[in-house]
Amino acid sequence: RAASLMQERSEDWSFAMKTKRNAAETRAKILKAATVCFAEKGYKATGNREVAAAAGVSLPLVSRYFGSKSGLLEAALQAALEPKPFLNGPREEFGTRLTQMILVASASELPMVTAVLAAADPEAREIARRIVEREVVQPLADWLGPPAAHQRALAITMLGAGLTTHLHILPLSEAQGMMPDSPLIAYFAQALQRIADGDVLSTEGLRENQGKA
């Protein structure tokens, strides 16, 4: 009898673990599909039905895991921004590392594309703003350290969003087909590196320059 009970418990545990594993895999599939759909079509043009079809799951499953479309956007952005590869590596290579990441990635691989496209919807814009500040600006500021860490993190985020926009969303003619060794890419990498190094004008310096203009 005892052996039978142990066998039953073992089978129940195995079933529970398999169910939990399948649930995690399903959730990950939905998030991946949502990231691609939001990046390629934008928030407004994407519905939970399209995400479910892309993920190969039923529509009720999307609602079960994430509720509304705004809940799905929030989860997709957070999951995509959780890894921070731009902070991994030597500080002196930060500008080149971030610039190359933006240059070589596809639109669906860049969470900032989703964030920028979400700006057309007021609710989605607030979600994107909150998550970008929490998952990009604050960790970047912590990594940069003083002086003016938060302002420098904001500047880097804004520059990165601008490069992302004009490479992947609204590509300017000079930016189309740009190669990694392009002078423009080098200028951009240098600008990011200067901010990362803290080699920027102080408030007093900015005022002096404005007075001379």
Side-chain angles (χ1 to χ4, degrees), residues 73-109:
L73 172 68
E74 183 161 0
L77 271 176
Q78 182 157 340
L81 286 169
E82 192 171 342
K84 297 174 177 57
F86 54 90
L87 298 183
N88 297 330
R91 179 179 288 262
E92 62 271 17
E93 297 174 4
F94 172 80
T96 299
R97 185 166 62 249
L98 179 55
T99 302
Q100 295 299 327
M101 281 176 54
I102 295 172
L103 180 64
V104 303
S106 65
S108 62
E109 294 173 321

Side-chain angles (χ1 to χ4, degrees), residues 10 36 77 85 89 106 109 144 152 154 169 171 185 188 194:
S10 176
V36 173
L77 271 176
S106 65
E109 294 173 321
L144 289 170
R152 286 158 60 213
L154 280 173
I169 302 174
I185 290 298
F188 206 94
R194 287 192 62 184

Side-chain angles (χ1 to χ4, degrees), residues 12-200:
D12 288 344
W13 182 84
S14 297
F15 178 77
M17 291 302 296
K18 183 178 180 181
T19 301
K20 186 176 182 180
R21 184 169 61 251
N22 289 344
E25 291 173 356
T26 299
R27 191 177 189 277
K29 280 173 59 178
I30 295 171
L31 285 177
K32 184 175 181 180
T35 300
V36 173
C37 289
F38 286 139
E40 292 181 349
K41 299 179 180 179
Y43 178 80
K44 195 170 184 179
T46 298
N48 283 4
R49 189 177 300 278
E50 287 81 8
V51 173
V57 302
S58 65
L59 179 59
L61 268 181
V62 177
S63 300
R64 174 185 168 187
Y65 284 112
F66 304 103
S68 64
K69 184 170 75 167
S70 61
L72 180 57
L73 172 68
E74 183 161 0
L77 271 176
Q78 182 157 340
L81 286 169
E82 192 171 342
K84 297 174 177 57
F86 54 90
L87 298 183
N88 297 330
R91 179 179 288 262
E92 62 271 17
E93 297 174 4
F94 172 80
T96 299
R97 185 166 62 249
L98 179 55
T99 302
Q100 295 299 327
M101 281 176 54
I102 295 172
L103 180 64
V104 303
S106 65
S108 62
E109 294 173 321
L110 292 169
M112 196 58 74
V113 170
T114 298
V116 171
L117 291 176
D121 180 271
E123 182 182 20
R125 179 169 62 243
E126 175 56 26
I127 291 170
R129 180 202 62 76
R130 184 175 69 250
I131 292 180
V132 168
E133 288 190 354
R134 186 179 68 221
E135 298 294 335
V136 177
V137 179
Q138 191 55 56
L140 184 53
D142 294 340
W143 182 79
L144 289 170
H150 190 72
Q151 285 75 19
R152 286 158 60 213
L154 280 173
I156 288 172
T157 302
M158 293 165 72
L159 281 172
L163 180 60
T164 299
T165 297
H166 291 299
L167 283 177
H168 299 283
I169 302 174
L170 187 65
L172 301 176
S173 57
E174 291 291 330
Q176 295 185 37
M178 192 176 296
M179 301 301 292
D181 58 354
S182 162
L184 183 56
I185 290 298
Y187 297 150
F188 206 94
Q190 289 171 20
L192 288 172
Q193 190 62 49
R194 287 192 62 184
I195 299 172
D197 292 341
D199 184 19
V200 291

